[in-house]
Amino acid sequence: MVNEQAQPVLEIWGGNSLKGEVTISGAKNSALVLMAGSLLCPEDCRLRNVPDLVDINKMSQILTALGVKLTKNGHTLDIDARDINPTKAPYDIVSKLRASFFAIGALLARFGNVRIPLPGGCAIGARPVDLHVRGLQAMGAQVIIESGIVHANVTGSDRRLQGANIYLDYPSVGATETLLMAATLAKGETVIENAAQEPEIVDLANFCIAMGAKISGAGTNKIIISGVERLHSVDYRVIPDRIEAGTFLVAGAITQSEISIFPVIPEHLIPVIAKLKAIGCQVIAEDSDRLRLIPGALKATDIETLPYPGFPTDMQAQFMALLSVSEGYSVISETVFENRLRHVAELQRMGADIRLKGHHAMINGVPFLSGAPVMATDLRASAALVLAGLAAQGKTIVRGLHHLDRGYENIESKLVKLGANIKRV
Ligand code: UD1
């Protein structure tokens, strides 16, 4: 339990216009799963462009507990997972970091045996792991869940998983990643149908291919993996974080400021850019990896979160803050997670006119928000409150920064560099 009173808060004086360029860090969700993927490899792995975040530190602690030798040098992580024990994942950290559970696929594929606690993560819904487990069972694993711990093993003399045809009931990002990793070292071919298509899946596939895996179709809804016996050493650069990039684009829109973001992969931001345009802003490609936001008069639009290439649920809260001050009536529908609208109450505290009905939020744009003390309820909600604070009149105090620090590297120094009046106290 976090003692909120003893924790630092962000004080934001709203109304400054921002200017300049923001450097976008490596993608949190890619880096986390690539760290899990490195467990497939009995040789040295080097990951570059790894963001400096609480979640990455937690993942590092889990790898270390498994016996991995980790060396961190700035944003580069050297990982040596030659000599590890697949049963040592510690409950207290896995239960706080959902992505760490995705290591189950890599560990089971390499050792034929794994013991890992059920995961945690943001309080945004039930978030079960049934799709992960069913997929591993289809590949021949025996899975027992007892006292919150998942025990999985493969019988047979070589203890190797068997390739399988797997249809996912839902294109779960984590389940696709777990099964893709598991299939890289399985015997024969695995086909994942209705696979997630997120850029982080493509990054994981490219990372595994760079280690010698045989994978095609990543980025489509059908991924085919031909298992190999062993993977080899790799030196790999994590993609830029599309959610951090999108958050800064919204920072420009909500403060009516012209800002650039770099480096980015514009294609990963297509749904975010489309909605910014619908709201009245322009997003211009200055280079192949640099975008500039040019603000305009903000007007209402409707948004429905969906698996990629639909609008990302991880950008829903930030757009809620933006639509709160966009003229007209907007509807945001959250379809990916059942409990991801808890920031509504906090935005209301700042003067937003929002009504909730089930998983829909009806937003009547107001001319301005007012600074207030607010509480971050999850990672992306915390970003939404910072954005609202940048645009609000007066002072906003954001509590619950442990959420923000999970996923945004140096957010306040990046914002200060742009001209925001924000400090951690
Ligand atoms: C990942 C991202 C998270 C993002 C989400 C959706 C990481 C570390 N996290 O989370 O930031 O918001 O994708 O883009 O990459 N589900 C099941 N059974 C399962 C698995 C998932 O019912 O076995 C449900 C979940 O409860 C949720 C939906 O599927 O309602 C989507 O979850 P999923 O795509 O798996 O998200 P994560 O991989 O957990």
Side-chain angles (χ1 to χ4, degrees), residues 12-15 250-251 254-255 317-318 320-322 324-325 343 346-348 350 352 368-372 374 381-396 398:
I12 307 167
W13 290 90
V250 176
I254 202 166
T255 58
Q318 299 90 315
M320 177 101 60
L322 180 60
S324 297
V325 289
H343 41 278
E346 302 303 308
L347 291 170
Q348 284 168 334
M350 299 178 72
F368 60 88
L369 296 173
S370 308
V374 287
S382 64
L385 297 175
V386 171
L387 295 171
L390 292 173
Q393 292 183 352
K395 182 165 120 179
T396 296
V398 183

PDB file of all heavy atoms in Angstrom, residues 12-15 250-251 254-255 317-318 320-322 324-325 343 346-348 350 352 368-372 374 381-396 398:
ATOM      1  N   ILE A  12       1.547  21.955 -10.952  1.00  0.00           N
ATOM      2  CA  ILE A  12       1.527  22.490 -12.323  1.00  0.00           C
ATOM      3  C   ILE A  12       0.766  23.814 -12.310  1.00  0.00           C
ATOM      4  O   ILE A  12      -0.371  23.876 -11.829  1.00  0.00           O
ATOM      5  CB  ILE A  12       0.803  21.518 -13.287  1.00  0.00           C
ATOM      6  CG1 ILE A  12       1.390  20.112 -13.183  1.00  0.00           C
ATOM      7  CG2 ILE A  12       0.855  22.029 -14.719  1.00  0.00           C
ATOM      8  CD1 ILE A  12       0.553  19.038 -13.855  1.00  0.00           C
ATOM      9  N   TRP A  13       1.404  24.855 -12.824  1.00  0.00           N
ATOM     10  CA  TRP A  13       0.701  26.121 -13.032  1.00  0.00           C
ATOM     11  C   TRP A  13       0.330  26.146 -14.514  1.00  0.00           C
ATOM     12  O   TRP A  13       1.200  26.185 -15.374  1.00  0.00           O
ATOM     13  CB  TRP A  13       1.586  27.316 -12.661  1.00  0.00           C
ATOM     14  CG  TRP A  13       1.813  27.398 -11.177  1.00  0.00           C
ATOM     15  CD1 TRP A  13       2.810  26.822 -10.465  1.00  0.00           C
ATOM     16  CD2 TRP A  13       0.976  28.054 -10.236  1.00  0.00           C
ATOM     17  NE1 TRP A  13       2.657  27.080  -9.126  1.00  0.00           N
ATOM     18  CE2 TRP A  13       1.542  27.850  -8.952  1.00  0.00           C
ATOM     19  CE3 TRP A  13      -0.201  28.818 -10.321  1.00  0.00           C
ATOM     20  CZ2 TRP A  13       0.978  28.356  -7.802  1.00  0.00           C
ATOM     21  CZ3 TRP A  13      -0.756  29.331  -9.165  1.00  0.00           C
ATOM     22  CH2 TRP A  13      -0.169  29.100  -7.909  1.00  0.00           C
ATOM     23  N   GLY A  14      -0.960  26.081 -14.784  1.00  0.00           N
ATOM     24  CA  GLY A  14      -1.411  25.950 -16.175  1.00  0.00           C
ATOM     25  C   GLY A  14      -1.352  27.258 -16.933  1.00  0.00           C
ATOM     26  O   GLY A  14      -1.158  28.323 -16.353  1.00  0.00           O
ATOM     27  N   GLY A  15      -1.505  27.134 -18.250  1.00  0.00           N
ATOM     28  CA  GLY A  15      -1.667  28.313 -19.094  1.00  0.00           C
ATOM     29  C   GLY A  15      -0.431  28.697 -19.884  1.00  0.00           C
ATOM     30  O   GLY A  15      -0.531  29.508 -20.810  1.00  0.00           O
ATOM     31  N   VAL A 250      -0.725  15.509 -27.730  1.00  0.00           N
ATOM     32  CA  VAL A 250      -1.907  16.057 -27.041  1.00  0.00           C
ATOM     33  C   VAL A 250      -1.495  17.246 -26.171  1.00  0.00           C
ATOM     34  O   VAL A 250      -2.246  18.229 -26.055  1.00  0.00           O
ATOM     35  CB  VAL A 250      -2.618  14.964 -26.205  1.00  0.00           C
ATOM     36  CG1 VAL A 250      -3.775  15.560 -25.406  1.00  0.00           C
ATOM     37  CG2 VAL A 250      -3.136  13.847 -27.109  1.00  0.00           C
ATOM     38  N   ALA A 251      -0.296  17.200 -25.590  1.00  0.00           N
ATOM     39  CA  ALA A 251       0.178  18.353 -24.798  1.00  0.00           C
ATOM     40  C   ALA A 251       0.206  19.604 -25.670  1.00  0.00           C
ATOM     41  O   ALA A 251      -0.189  20.693 -25.238  1.00  0.00           O
ATOM     42  CB  ALA A 251       1.561  18.064 -24.212  1.00  0.00           C
ATOM     43  N   ILE A 254      -3.570  20.628 -26.390  1.00  0.00           N
ATOM     44  CA  ILE A 254      -4.358  21.137 -25.253  1.00  0.00           C
ATOM     45  C   ILE A 254      -3.829  22.493 -24.775  1.00  0.00           C
ATOM     46  O   ILE A 254      -4.581  23.298 -24.216  1.00  0.00           O
ATOM     47  CB  ILE A 254      -4.401  20.096 -24.105  1.00  0.00           C
ATOM     48  CG1 ILE A 254      -5.599  20.336 -23.188  1.00  0.00           C
ATOM     49  CG2 ILE A 254      -3.124  20.076 -23.291  1.00  0.00           C
ATOM     50  CD1 ILE A 254      -5.905  19.183 -22.236  1.00  0.00           C
ATOM     51  N   THR A 255      -2.531  22.770 -25.021  1.00  0.00           N
ATOM     52  CA  THR A 255      -1.986  24.086 -24.626  1.00  0.00           C
ATOM     53  C   THR A 255      -1.916  25.022 -25.833  1.00  0.00           C
ATOM     54  O   THR A 255      -1.357  26.116 -25.729  1.00  0.00           O
ATOM     55  CB  THR A 255      -0.558  23.942 -24.036  1.00  0.00           C
ATOM     56  OG1 THR A 255       0.267  23.313 -25.030  1.00  0.00           O
ATOM     57  CG2 THR A 255      -0.543  23.117 -22.765  1.00  0.00           C
ATOM     58  N   ALA A 317      -7.327   8.206 -22.014  1.00  0.00           N
ATOM     59  CA  ALA A 317      -7.433   9.191 -20.926  1.00  0.00           C
ATOM     60  C   ALA A 317      -6.904  10.550 -21.374  1.00  0.00           C
ATOM     61  O   ALA A 317      -7.495  11.597 -21.059  1.00  0.00           O
ATOM     62  CB  ALA A 317      -6.657   8.686 -19.703  1.00  0.00           C
ATOM     63  N   GLN A 318      -5.794  10.541 -22.126  1.00  0.00           N
ATOM     64  CA  GLN A 318      -5.209  11.806 -22.570  1.00  0.00           C
ATOM     65  C   GLN A 318      -6.183  12.550 -23.499  1.00  0.00           C
ATOM     66  O   GLN A 318      -6.329  13.773 -23.430  1.00  0.00           O
ATOM     67  CB  GLN A 318      -3.878  11.555 -23.311  1.00  0.00           C
ATOM     68  CG  GLN A 318      -2.799  10.870 -22.475  1.00  0.00           C
ATOM     69  CD  GLN A 318      -2.865   9.360 -22.572  1.00  0.00           C
ATOM     70  OE1 GLN A 318      -3.940   8.766 -22.494  1.00  0.00           O
ATOM     71  NE2 GLN A 318      -1.731   8.723 -22.752  1.00  0.00           N
ATOM     72  N   MET A 320      -9.362  12.221 -23.417  1.00  0.00           N
ATOM     73  CA  MET A 320     -10.491  12.681 -22.579  1.00  0.00           C
ATOM     74  C   MET A 320     -10.183  14.085 -22.055  1.00  0.00           C
ATOM     75  O   MET A 320     -11.055  14.968 -22.054  1.00  0.00           O
ATOM     76  CB  MET A 320     -10.685  11.721 -21.419  1.00  0.00           C
ATOM     77  CG  MET A 320     -11.758  12.145 -20.469  1.00  0.00           C
ATOM     78  SD  MET A 320     -13.290  11.284 -20.677  1.00  0.00           S
ATOM     79  CE  MET A 320     -12.873   9.587 -20.412  1.00  0.00           C
ATOM     80  N   ALA A 321      -8.928  14.288 -21.595  1.00  0.00           N
ATOM     81  CA  ALA A 321      -8.546  15.623 -21.108  1.00  0.00           C
ATOM     82  C   ALA A 321      -8.701  16.644 -22.238  1.00  0.00           C
ATOM     83  O   ALA A 321      -9.252  17.732 -22.044  1.00  0.00           O
ATOM     84  CB  ALA A 321      -7.105  15.594 -20.597  1.00  0.00           C
ATOM     85  N   LEU A 322      -8.244  16.275 -23.431  1.00  0.00           N
ATOM     86  CA  LEU A 322      -8.309  17.204 -24.573  1.00  0.00           C
ATOM     87  C   LEU A 322      -9.760  17.517 -24.962  1.00  0.00           C
ATOM     88  O   LEU A 322     -10.121  18.683 -25.185  1.00  0.00           O
ATOM     89  CB  LEU A 322      -7.540  16.594 -25.763  1.00  0.00           C
ATOM     90  CG  LEU A 322      -7.499  17.411 -27.045  1.00  0.00           C
ATOM     91  CD1 LEU A 322      -6.841  18.777 -26.814  1.00  0.00           C
ATOM     92  CD2 LEU A 322      -6.733  16.650 -28.141  1.00  0.00           C
ATOM     93  N   SER A 324     -12.290  17.448 -23.134  1.00  0.00           N
ATOM     94  CA  SER A 324     -12.952  18.217 -22.070  1.00  0.00           C
ATOM     95  C   SER A 324     -12.958  19.706 -22.386  1.00  0.00           C
ATOM     96  O   SER A 324     -13.811  20.439 -21.900  1.00  0.00           O
ATOM     97  CB  SER A 324     -12.229  18.036 -20.733  1.00  0.00           C
ATOM     98  OG  SER A 324     -12.294  16.711 -20.341  1.00  0.00           O
ATOM     99  N   VAL A 325     -11.952  20.150 -23.180  1.00  0.00           N
ATOM    100  CA  VAL A 325     -11.886  21.581 -23.527  1.00  0.00           C
ATOM    101  C   VAL A 325     -12.080  21.797 -25.040  1.00  0.00           C
ATOM    102  O   VAL A 325     -11.645  22.792 -25.599  1.00  0.00           O
ATOM    103  CB  VAL A 325     -10.560  22.219 -23.054  1.00  0.00           C
ATOM    104  CG1 VAL A 325     -10.544  22.350 -21.537  1.00  0.00           C
ATOM    105  CG2 VAL A 325      -9.350  21.434 -23.536  1.00  0.00           C
ATOM    106  N   HIS A 343     -10.434   8.176 -14.333  1.00  0.00           N
ATOM    107  CA  HIS A 343      -9.953   9.565 -14.384  1.00  0.00           C
ATOM    108  C   HIS A 343     -11.095  10.555 -14.574  1.00  0.00           C
ATOM    109  O   HIS A 343     -10.908  11.751 -14.380  1.00  0.00           O
ATOM    110  CB  HIS A 343      -8.920   9.728 -15.509  1.00  0.00           C
ATOM    111  CG  HIS A 343      -9.293   9.005 -16.761  1.00  0.00           C
ATOM    112  ND1 HIS A 343      -9.064   7.665 -16.935  1.00  0.00           N
ATOM    113  CD2 HIS A 343      -9.919   9.419 -17.876  1.00  0.00           C
ATOM    114  CE1 HIS A 343      -9.511   7.289 -18.112  1.00  0.00           C
ATOM    115  NE2 HIS A 343     -10.043   8.324 -18.702  1.00  0.00           N
ATOM    116  N   GLU A 346     -11.727  12.655 -11.600  1.00  0.00           N
ATOM    117  CA  GLU A 346     -10.669  13.637 -11.335  1.00  0.00           C
ATOM    118  C   GLU A 346     -10.771  14.816 -12.307  1.00  0.00           C
ATOM    119  O   GLU A 346     -10.564  15.967 -11.926  1.00  0.00           O
ATOM    120  CB  GLU A 346      -9.291  12.959 -11.433  1.00  0.00           C
ATOM    121  CG  GLU A 346      -9.124  11.780 -10.485  1.00  0.00           C
ATOM    122  CD  GLU A 346      -9.342  12.149  -9.023  1.00  0.00           C
ATOM    123  OE1 GLU A 346      -8.715  13.107  -8.554  1.00  0.00           O
ATOM    124  OE2 GLU A 346     -10.159  11.473  -8.352  1.00  0.00           O
ATOM    125  N   LEU A 347     -11.098  14.519 -13.572  1.00  0.00           N
ATOM    126  CA  LEU A 347     -11.257  15.621 -14.544  1.00  0.00           C
ATOM    127  C   LEU A 347     -12.468  16.485 -14.175  1.00  0.00           C
ATOM    128  O   LEU A 347     -12.450  17.706 -14.338  1.00  0.00           O
ATOM    129  CB  LEU A 347     -11.394  15.059 -15.973  1.00  0.00           C
ATOM    130  CG  LEU A 347     -10.116  14.424 -16.548  1.00  0.00           C
ATOM    131  CD1 LEU A 347     -10.406  13.684 -17.855  1.00  0.00           C
ATOM    132  CD2 LEU A 347      -9.037  15.494 -16.790  1.00  0.00           C
ATOM    133  N   GLN A 348     -13.501  15.830 -13.641  1.00  0.00           N
ATOM    134  CA  GLN A 348     -14.686  16.594 -13.188  1.00  0.00           C
ATOM    135  C   GLN A 348     -14.295  17.576 -12.093  1.00  0.00           C
ATOM    136  O   GLN A 348     -14.772  18.698 -12.024  1.00  0.00           O
ATOM    137  CB  GLN A 348     -15.766  15.643 -12.658  1.00  0.00           C
ATOM    138  CG  GLN A 348     -16.519  14.927 -13.772  1.00  0.00           C
ATOM    139  CD  GLN A 348     -17.368  13.781 -13.241  1.00  0.00           C
ATOM    140  OE1 GLN A 348     -17.076  13.212 -12.191  1.00  0.00           O
ATOM    141  NE2 GLN A 348     -18.405  13.421 -13.984  1.00  0.00           N
ATOM    142  N   MET A 350     -11.750  19.159 -11.926  1.00  0.00           N
ATOM    143  CA  MET A 350     -11.109  20.334 -12.555  1.00  0.00           C
ATOM    144  C   MET A 350     -12.102  21.131 -13.407  1.00  0.00           C
ATOM    145  O   MET A 350     -11.700  22.029 -14.148  1.00  0.00           O
ATOM    146  CB  MET A 350      -9.928  19.873 -13.415  1.00  0.00           C
ATOM    147  CG  MET A 350      -8.850  19.160 -12.605  1.00  0.00           C
ATOM    148  SD  MET A 350      -7.484  18.579 -13.617  1.00  0.00           S
ATOM    149  CE  MET A 350      -6.679  20.121 -14.024  1.00  0.00           C
ATOM    150  N   ALA A 352     -14.360  19.672 -15.693  1.00  0.00           N
ATOM    151  CA  ALA A 352     -14.814  19.025 -16.931  1.00  0.00           C
ATOM    152  C   ALA A 352     -16.272  18.600 -16.777  1.00  0.00           C
ATOM    153  O   ALA A 352     -16.701  18.224 -15.682  1.00  0.00           O
ATOM    154  CB  ALA A 352     -13.936  17.806 -17.227  1.00  0.00           C
ATOM    155  N   PHE A 368     -12.774  26.260 -20.351  1.00  0.00           N
ATOM    156  CA  PHE A 368     -11.486  26.090 -19.656  1.00  0.00           C
ATOM    157  C   PHE A 368     -11.655  25.168 -18.451  1.00  0.00           C
ATOM    158  O   PHE A 368     -12.765  25.003 -17.934  1.00  0.00           O
ATOM    159  CB  PHE A 368     -10.909  27.447 -19.194  1.00  0.00           C
ATOM    160  CG  PHE A 368     -11.809  28.185 -18.251  1.00  0.00           C
ATOM    161  CD1 PHE A 368     -11.731  27.972 -16.875  1.00  0.00           C
ATOM    162  CD2 PHE A 368     -12.759  29.089 -18.731  1.00  0.00           C
ATOM    163  CE1 PHE A 368     -12.561  28.645 -16.006  1.00  0.00           C
ATOM    164  CE2 PHE A 368     -13.606  29.764 -17.858  1.00  0.00           C
ATOM    165  CZ  PHE A 368     -13.509  29.539 -16.496  1.00  0.00           C
ATOM    166  N   LEU A 369     -10.532  24.571 -18.027  1.00  0.00           N
ATOM    167  CA  LEU A 369     -10.509  23.780 -16.787  1.00  0.00           C
ATOM    168  C   LEU A 369      -9.888  24.646 -15.697  1.00  0.00           C
ATOM    169  O   LEU A 369      -9.186  25.621 -15.993  1.00  0.00           O
ATOM    170  CB  LEU A 369      -9.669  22.511 -16.988  1.00  0.00           C
ATOM    171  CG  LEU A 369     -10.211  21.501 -18.012  1.00  0.00           C
ATOM    172  CD1 LEU A 369      -9.200  20.372 -18.231  1.00  0.00           C
ATOM    173  CD2 LEU A 369     -11.558  20.916 -17.565  1.00  0.00           C
ATOM    174  N   SER A 370     -10.136  24.272 -14.442  1.00  0.00           N
ATOM    175  CA  SER A 370      -9.546  25.015 -13.322  1.00  0.00           C
ATOM    176  C   SER A 370      -8.622  24.080 -12.551  1.00  0.00           C
ATOM    177  O   SER A 370      -8.978  22.917 -12.318  1.00  0.00           O
ATOM    178  CB  SER A 370     -10.637  25.487 -12.360  1.00  0.00           C
ATOM    179  OG  SER A 370     -11.624  26.179 -13.085  1.00  0.00           O
ATOM    180  N   GLY A 371      -7.490  24.619 -12.136  1.00  0.00           N
ATOM    181  CA  GLY A 371      -6.536  23.823 -11.370  1.00  0.00           C
ATOM    182  C   GLY A 371      -7.175  23.300 -10.092  1.00  0.00           C
ATOM    183  O   GLY A 371      -8.027  23.962  -9.497  1.00  0.00           O
ATOM    184  N   ALA A 372      -6.777  22.091  -9.684  1.00  0.00           N
ATOM    185  CA  ALA A 372      -7.344  21.465  -8.473  1.00  0.00           C
ATOM    186  C   ALA A 372      -6.389  20.369  -8.017  1.00  0.00           C
ATOM    187  O   ALA A 372      -5.555  19.909  -8.795  1.00  0.00           O
ATOM    188  CB  ALA A 372      -8.711  20.863  -8.797  1.00  0.00           C
ATOM    189  N   VAL A 374      -5.673  16.655  -7.590  1.00  0.00           N
ATOM    190  CA  VAL A 374      -6.250  15.450  -8.208  1.00  0.00           C
ATOM    191  C   VAL A 374      -5.367  14.245  -7.919  1.00  0.00           C
ATOM    192  O   VAL A 374      -4.190  14.388  -7.596  1.00  0.00           O
ATOM    193  CB  VAL A 374      -6.425  15.608  -9.738  1.00  0.00           C
ATOM    194  CG1 VAL A 374      -7.578  16.531 -10.069  1.00  0.00           C
ATOM    195  CG2 VAL A 374      -5.138  16.095 -10.392  1.00  0.00           C
ATOM    196  N   ALA A 381      -4.042   7.559 -16.852  1.00  0.00           N
ATOM    197  CA  ALA A 381      -4.860   8.575 -16.186  1.00  0.00           C
ATOM    198  C   ALA A 381      -3.948   9.652 -15.610  1.00  0.00           C
ATOM    199  O   ALA A 381      -4.269  10.842 -15.646  1.00  0.00           O
ATOM    200  CB  ALA A 381      -5.679   7.933 -15.072  1.00  0.00           C
ATOM    201  N   SER A 382      -2.780   9.243 -15.107  1.00  0.00           N
ATOM    202  CA  SER A 382      -1.878  10.232 -14.528  1.00  0.00           C
ATOM    203  C   SER A 382      -1.402  11.198 -15.614  1.00  0.00           C
ATOM    204  O   SER A 382      -1.293  12.405 -15.381  1.00  0.00           O
ATOM    205  CB  SER A 382      -0.695   9.551 -13.828  1.00  0.00           C
ATOM    206  OG  SER A 382       0.096   8.846 -14.743  1.00  0.00           O
ATOM    207  N   ALA A 383      -1.149  10.684 -16.814  1.00  0.00           N
ATOM    208  CA  ALA A 383      -0.727  11.558 -17.917  1.00  0.00           C
ATOM    209  C   ALA A 383      -1.852  12.521 -18.284  1.00  0.00           C
ATOM    210  O   ALA A 383      -1.618  13.702 -18.562  1.00  0.00           O
ATOM    211  CB  ALA A 383      -0.337  10.718 -19.129  1.00  0.00           C
ATOM    212  N   ALA A 384      -3.089  12.025 -18.260  1.00  0.00           N
ATOM    213  CA  ALA A 384      -4.241  12.873 -18.606  1.00  0.00           C
ATOM    214  C   ALA A 384      -4.355  14.034 -17.628  1.00  0.00           C
ATOM    215  O   ALA A 384      -4.657  15.168 -18.021  1.00  0.00           O
ATOM    216  CB  ALA A 384      -5.522  12.039 -18.588  1.00  0.00           C
ATOM    217  N   LEU A 385      -4.091  13.769 -16.347  1.00  0.00           N
ATOM    218  CA  LEU A 385      -4.216  14.824 -15.340  1.00  0.00           C
ATOM    219  C   LEU A 385      -3.097  15.859 -15.503  1.00  0.00           C
ATOM    220  O   LEU A 385      -3.325  17.055 -15.315  1.00  0.00           O
ATOM    221  CB  LEU A 385      -4.203  14.219 -13.938  1.00  0.00           C
ATOM    222  CG  LEU A 385      -5.391  13.286 -13.657  1.00  0.00           C
ATOM    223  CD1 LEU A 385      -5.253  12.634 -12.297  1.00  0.00           C
ATOM    224  CD2 LEU A 385      -6.717  14.045 -13.754  1.00  0.00           C
ATOM    225  N   VAL A 386      -1.915  15.405 -15.876  1.00  0.00           N
ATOM    226  CA  VAL A 386      -0.831  16.348 -16.148  1.00  0.00           C
ATOM    227  C   VAL A 386      -1.220  17.239 -17.336  1.00  0.00           C
ATOM    228  O   VAL A 386      -1.079  18.469 -17.299  1.00  0.00           O
ATOM    229  CB  VAL A 386       0.494  15.604 -16.429  1.00  0.00           C
ATOM    230  CG1 VAL A 386       1.566  16.570 -16.922  1.00  0.00           C
ATOM    231  CG2 VAL A 386       0.969  14.883 -15.172  1.00  0.00           C
ATOM    232  N   LEU A 387      -1.758  16.626 -18.392  1.00  0.00           N
ATOM    233  CA  LEU A 387      -2.166  17.411 -19.567  1.00  0.00           C
ATOM    234  C   LEU A 387      -3.248  18.418 -19.192  1.00  0.00           C
ATOM    235  O   LEU A 387      -3.189  19.586 -19.595  1.00  0.00           O
ATOM    236  CB  LEU A 387      -2.703  16.472 -20.669  1.00  0.00           C
ATOM    237  CG  LEU A 387      -1.674  15.509 -21.275  1.00  0.00           C
ATOM    238  CD1 LEU A 387      -2.376  14.502 -22.188  1.00  0.00           C
ATOM    239  CD2 LEU A 387      -0.611  16.275 -22.054  1.00  0.00           C
ATOM    240  N   ALA A 388      -4.228  17.962 -18.414  1.00  0.00           N
ATOM    241  CA  ALA A 388      -5.306  18.865 -17.998  1.00  0.00           C
ATOM    242  C   ALA A 388      -4.722  20.018 -17.182  1.00  0.00           C
ATOM    243  O   ALA A 388      -5.100  21.185 -17.369  1.00  0.00           O
ATOM    244  CB  ALA A 388      -6.347  18.093 -17.183  1.00  0.00           C
ATOM    245  N   GLY A 389      -3.760  19.696 -16.314  1.00  0.00           N
ATOM    246  CA  GLY A 389      -3.129  20.728 -15.479  1.00  0.00           C
ATOM    247  C   GLY A 389      -2.377  21.761 -16.311  1.00  0.00           C
ATOM    248  O   GLY A 389      -2.350  22.941 -15.977  1.00  0.00           O
ATOM    249  N   LEU A 390      -1.752  21.309 -17.419  1.00  0.00           N
ATOM    250  CA  LEU A 390      -1.003  22.243 -18.271  1.00  0.00           C
ATOM    251  C   LEU A 390      -1.927  23.278 -18.899  1.00  0.00           C
ATOM    252  O   LEU A 390      -1.524  24.410 -19.177  1.00  0.00           O
ATOM    253  CB  LEU A 390      -0.298  21.471 -19.403  1.00  0.00           C
ATOM    254  CG  LEU A 390       0.843  20.544 -19.006  1.00  0.00           C
ATOM    255  CD1 LEU A 390       1.308  19.747 -20.212  1.00  0.00           C
ATOM    256  CD2 LEU A 390       2.005  21.342 -18.412  1.00  0.00           C
ATOM    257  N   ALA A 391      -3.179  22.867 -19.141  1.00  0.00           N
ATOM    258  CA  ALA A 391      -4.121  23.757 -19.828  1.00  0.00           C
ATOM    259  C   ALA A 391      -5.000  24.527 -18.852  1.00  0.00           C
ATOM    260  O   ALA A 391      -5.636  25.510 -19.233  1.00  0.00           O
ATOM    261  CB  ALA A 391      -5.003  22.927 -20.771  1.00  0.00           C
ATOM    262  N   ALA A 392      -5.052  24.071 -17.588  1.00  0.00           N
ATOM    263  CA  ALA A 392      -6.034  24.640 -16.651  1.00  0.00           C
ATOM    264  C   ALA A 392      -5.610  26.027 -16.174  1.00  0.00           C
ATOM    265  O   ALA A 392      -4.433  26.384 -16.217  1.00  0.00           O
ATOM    266  CB  ALA A 392      -6.173  23.707 -15.442  1.00  0.00           C
ATOM    267  N   GLN A 393      -6.596  26.773 -15.687  1.00  0.00           N
ATOM    268  CA  GLN A 393      -6.286  28.057 -15.055  1.00  0.00           C
ATOM    269  C   GLN A 393      -5.881  27.780 -13.614  1.00  0.00           C
ATOM    270  O   GLN A 393      -6.575  27.068 -12.892  1.00  0.00           O
ATOM    271  CB  GLN A 393      -7.521  28.956 -15.079  1.00  0.00           C
ATOM    272  CG  GLN A 393      -7.884  29.384 -16.491  1.00  0.00           C
ATOM    273  CD  GLN A 393      -9.058  30.345 -16.527  1.00  0.00           C
ATOM    274  OE1 GLN A 393      -9.707  30.588 -15.528  1.00  0.00           O
ATOM    275  NE2 GLN A 393      -9.326  30.879 -17.708  1.00  0.00           N
ATOM    276  N   GLY A 394      -4.765  28.339 -13.185  1.00  0.00           N
ATOM    277  CA  GLY A 394      -4.341  28.170 -11.792  1.00  0.00           C
ATOM    278  C   GLY A 394      -3.520  26.915 -11.571  1.00  0.00           C
ATOM    279  O   GLY A 394      -2.985  26.320 -12.506  1.00  0.00           O
ATOM    280  N   LYS A 395      -3.479  26.508 -10.296  1.00  0.00           N
ATOM    281  CA  LYS A 395      -2.544  25.447  -9.897  1.00  0.00           C
ATOM    282  C   LYS A 395      -3.229  24.092  -9.761  1.00  0.00           C
ATOM    283  O   LYS A 395      -4.262  23.980  -9.098  1.00  0.00           O
ATOM    284  CB  LYS A 395      -1.918  25.841  -8.556  1.00  0.00           C
ATOM    285  CG  LYS A 395      -0.892  24.852  -8.051  1.00  0.00           C
ATOM    286  CD  LYS A 395      -0.074  25.477  -6.933  1.00  0.00           C
ATOM    287  CE  LYS A 395      -0.200  24.716  -5.651  1.00  0.00           C
ATOM    288  NZ  LYS A 395       0.600  25.296  -4.580  1.00  0.00           N
ATOM    289  N   THR A 396      -2.618  23.088 -10.366  1.00  0.00           N
ATOM    290  CA  THR A 396      -3.085  21.703 -10.213  1.00  0.00           C
ATOM    291  C   THR A 396      -2.029  20.929  -9.436  1.00  0.00           C
ATOM    292  O   THR A 396      -0.828  21.104  -9.678  1.00  0.00           O
ATOM    293  CB  THR A 396      -3.291  21.049 -11.605  1.00  0.00           C
ATOM    294  OG1 THR A 396      -4.336  21.765 -12.264  1.00  0.00           O
ATOM    295  CG2 THR A 396      -3.670  19.581 -11.504  1.00  0.00           C
ATOM    296  N   VAL A 398      -0.975  17.090  -8.735  1.00  0.00           N
ATOM    297  CA  VAL A 398      -1.247  15.696  -9.114  1.00  0.00           C
ATOM    298  C   VAL A 398      -0.565  14.772  -8.111  1.00  0.00           C
ATOM    299  O   VAL A 398       0.659  14.815  -7.944  1.00  0.00           O
ATOM    300  CB  VAL A 398      -0.742  15.372 -10.540  1.00  0.00           C
ATOM    301  CG1 VAL A 398      -1.113  13.944 -10.927  1.00  0.00           C
ATOM    302  CG2 VAL A 398      -1.295  16.362 -11.556  1.00  0.00           C
TER     303      VAL A 398
END
